[in-house]
Amino acid sequence: MISYTTQMDAAKKGIVTTAMQVVAAKEKMAVERLRELVAEGKVVIPANKNHPSLDPEGVGAGLRTKINVNLGVSKDCCNLDLELEKAKRAIELKAEAIMDLSCYGKTQAFRRKLIDFSPAMIGTVPMYDAIGMLDKDLKDITADEFFQVVERHAADGVDFMTVHCGINRATAAKVKNNKRLTNIVSRGGSILFAWMELNHCENPFYEQYDRLLDICQAYDVTISLGDACRPGSIHDSTDAAQIEELVVLGELTKLAWEKNVQVMIEGPGHMAIHEIAGNMMLEKRLCHGAPFYVLGPIVTDVAPGYDHITSAIGGAIAAANGADFLCYVTPAEHLRLPDLDDMKEGIIAARIAAHAADIAKGIPGARDWDNAMSTARADVNFPRMIELAMDPEKAKRYRETSAPESEDTCTMCGEMCPMRNMKKILNGEELRLK
């Protein structure tokens, strides 16, 4: 029997893994075609060997657009029970991935509990955990200690990790020499930038990239190459720093593939609508078709409290033009840690964007859901419409809180309902409108 280290290693050797079989069935794709895409790096299946509860998902070319939910504790909001409740609710709402972005205290117990019960893939940003886990000032943390944190997360069972390898000294110089309105807004990227400035050293994850890849290979962790220079305002999008980092990430992608490490690329950020399609093409070109994971993009900076909407607009455009993975944004973005209601709003907005993009991309079966809903509407079958709704709970509540005189109408149109009247006329039924 041929042995393998990672999903990519297996795919290159012609081996179809159990995870590949599960993903191929979900995606209605021939398993051999999926294996080829994994071998080429155009699809990733984040599946840490230490995550036994995982229900595998694929991210990349020809597959449904996936969504990620961020959660985790901070110093000001440190309720682990609430974050676990959020995780369970996110799974119920069909999020394919959860990122634990906890940045306060000793978070390993929470992370392990999350991995133990979650069928969704789990991601982390080890840099967030470094200061709390090591209990040291940033300047005093050594490169070896950064790698210890990464290995701890990998051993715990994390399926993908965001590591900001592309913010090297040259990229940092672009940030300093090209004035931005919002500087670096990536939390992990800003921490590494500060560490480099304080210690006058190169980014250890760039300088010792092979060491990072060895850890990822050992546990089959998918590396999500973080965009430290993602734009934090529409003013800063597609600038020199963002593009410089993207070029570096493309080079790092090829090095990871040589070691059979699966790779995703992270992208913007805030970006005006007319720039999104071009950015998607640029990423796919410069990063050799690797799956693209975007935060939003948020298409205007002036809607705090409604950024689940600004990001859904950008996310739909991005995914329709090649992005493979959408990180949800909640109404609380830029304002506070989201609560359960915020989280739900963000998930539904991201799912709408992902599904709309899948229709545009021609993903097999994507239109079937819409056609079923349209059939229910033509039949004036409200129970079926509610059943098919992306959020049946909300649809049912709206229906019940405004009852019509006739059950085959709603309180918007009443007896003038075109669906009801066309159905009656075409069925040869008598129609009387008062």
Side-chain angles (χ1 to χ4, degrees):
M1 185 175 180
I2 303 172
S3 62
Y4 62 89
T5 54
T6 67
Q7 294 292 324
M8 177 175 255
D9 184 35
K12 287 180 180 178
K13 290 174 177 175
I15 300 169
V16 172
T17 65
T18 301
M20 290 178 205
Q21 291 173 337
V22 171
V23 171
K26 288 181 179 180
E27 300 289 345
K28 301 180 176 64
M29 177 181 280
V31 72
E32 184 58 24
R33 176 57 183 151
L34 179 67
R35 183 197 63 76
E36 290 171 357
L37 291 168
V38 174
E40 293 168 3
K42 293 178 180 176
V43 165
V44 297
I45 303 176
N48 189 309
K49 297 170 183 177
N50 291 345
H51 188 177
S53 62
L54 178 70
D55 183 8
E57 294 283 357
V59 178
L63 310 185
R64 290 174 297 107
T65 306
K66 306 306 187 299
I67 72 160
N68 170 71
V69 168
N70 291 338
L71 48 78
V73 297
S74 68
K75 187 174 183 178
D76 291 314
C77 296
C78 194
N79 186 336
L80 292 173
D81 290 337
L82 176 59
E83 297 310 301
L84 281 174
E85 188 179 350
K86 285 183 188 176
K88 291 171 183 175
R89 186 69 174 130
I91 292 164
E92 290 172 5
L93 289 167
K94 302 181 181 178
E96 290 91 0
I98 296 170
M99 287 198 81
D100 173 18
L101 304 187
S102 295
C103 59
Y104 176 72
K106 310 296 184 182
T107 61
Q108 186 179 41
F110 173 71
R111 183 168 58 251
R112 285 180 170 174
K113 190 174 290 189
L114 189 60
I115 290 164
D116 283 346
F117 81 78
S118 175
M121 50 187 162
I122 301 298
T124 59
V125 187
M127 283 301 299
Y128 294 0
D129 197 26
I131 294 172
M133 176 177 152
L134 298 168
D135 199 20
K136 296 175 72 172
D137 287 338
L138 176 62
K139 185 179 185 299
D140 298 329
I141 297 175
T142 67
D144 286 344
E145 287 171 329
F146 279 140
F147 281 100
Q148 287 170 19
V149 177
V150 170
E151 183 139 27
R152 176 79 63 84
H153 282 227
D156 284 344
V158 168
D159 302 298
F160 65 100
M161 287 192 291
T162 295
V163 187
H164 299 86
C165 305
I167 178 76
N168 57 20
R169 298 281 280 177
T171 308
K174 284 286 191 296
V175 174
K176 290 189 284 186
N177 296 332
N178 295 270
K179 181 61 179 171
R180 288 178 146 196
L181 280 181
T182 47
N183 297 310
I184 290 178
V185 298
S186 159
R187 198 188 322 174
S190 66
I191 292 170
L192 271 171
F193 180 92
W195 186 89
M196 288 191 289
E197 292 291 305
L198 290 168
N199 290 286
H200 308 288
C201 292
E202 182 56 276
N203 177 351
F205 296 118
Y206 176 78
E207 191 172 47
Q208 301 181 55
Y209 188 56
D210 276 344
R211 185 175 177 182
L212 176 65
L213 295 179
D214 287 343
I215 295 170
C216 292
Q217 184 188 65
Y219 297 93
D220 198 3
V221 173
T222 297
I223 185 168
S224 188
L225 289 171
D227 54 336
C229 297
R230 71 171 183 264
S233 61
I234 61 172
H235 176 276
D236 296 341
S237 61
T238 323
D239 70 352
Q242 181 194 332
I243 302 305
E244 170 86 15
E245 184 179 35
L246 191 60
V247 171
V248 174
L249 297 184
E251 295 166 351
L252 296 177
T253 296
K254 290 195 290 185
L255 293 174
W257 287 347
E258 288 173 10
K259 288 204 169 189
N260 297 318
V261 173
Q262 300 185 97
V263 177
M264 295 188 290
I265 308 296
E266 294 188 13
H270 293 233
M271 182 165 286
I273 284 176
H274 67 285
E275 294 183 51
I276 295 174
N279 268 261
M280 300 306 106
M281 180 187 70
L282 197 60
E283 183 279 338
K284 289 290 184 177
R285 178 71 173 171
L286 292 178
C287 297
H288 321 292
F292 200 18
Y293 175 27
V294 295
L295 177 65
I298 289 173
V299 295
T300 177
D301 301 329
V302 298
Y306 298 92
D307 278 327
H308 59 310
I309 297 173
T310 64
S311 70
I313 294 168
I317 296 168
N321 285 279
D324 307 287
F325 196 16
L326 303 180
C327 186
Y328 93 148
V329 175
T330 77
E333 185 78 8
H334 304 111
L335 300 171
R336 69 170 192 200
L337 195 74
D339 63 19
L340 276 164
D341 290 337
D342 297 327
M343 187 191 75
K344 180 179 178 180
E345 291 292 316
I347 290 173
I348 297 299
R351 286 187 59 202
I352 291 168
H355 180 64
D358 288 349
I359 292 169
K361 288 190 283 192
I363 298 297
R367 283 179 177 265
D368 294 350
W369 186 5
D370 297 75
N371 292 342
M373 177 64 84
S374 296
T375 299
R377 284 184 175 143
D379 290 340
V380 204
N381 185 342
F382 284 97
R384 178 63 173 154
M385 283 185 244
I386 291 168
E387 180 186 335
L388 287 166
M390 189 171 288
D391 182 0
E393 186 180 281
K394 187 171 186 178
K396 185 172 186 288
R397 185 172 72 250
Y398 271 58
R399 175 71 177 163
E400 290 177 346
T401 54
S402 186
E405 183 178 338
S406 174
E407 279 300 310
D408 61 352
T409 65
C410 77
T411 54
M412 171 69 80
C413 299
E415 289 185 342
M416 293 184 188
C417 172
M419 296 294 192
R420 168 186 178 272
N421 295 340
M422 286 300 299
K423 180 182 177 183
K424 284 179 176 292
I425 291 295
L426 292 175
N427 287 341
E429 298 177 29
E430 186 177 350
L431 178 64
R432 291 180 181 177
L433 296 179
K434 299 175 184 177

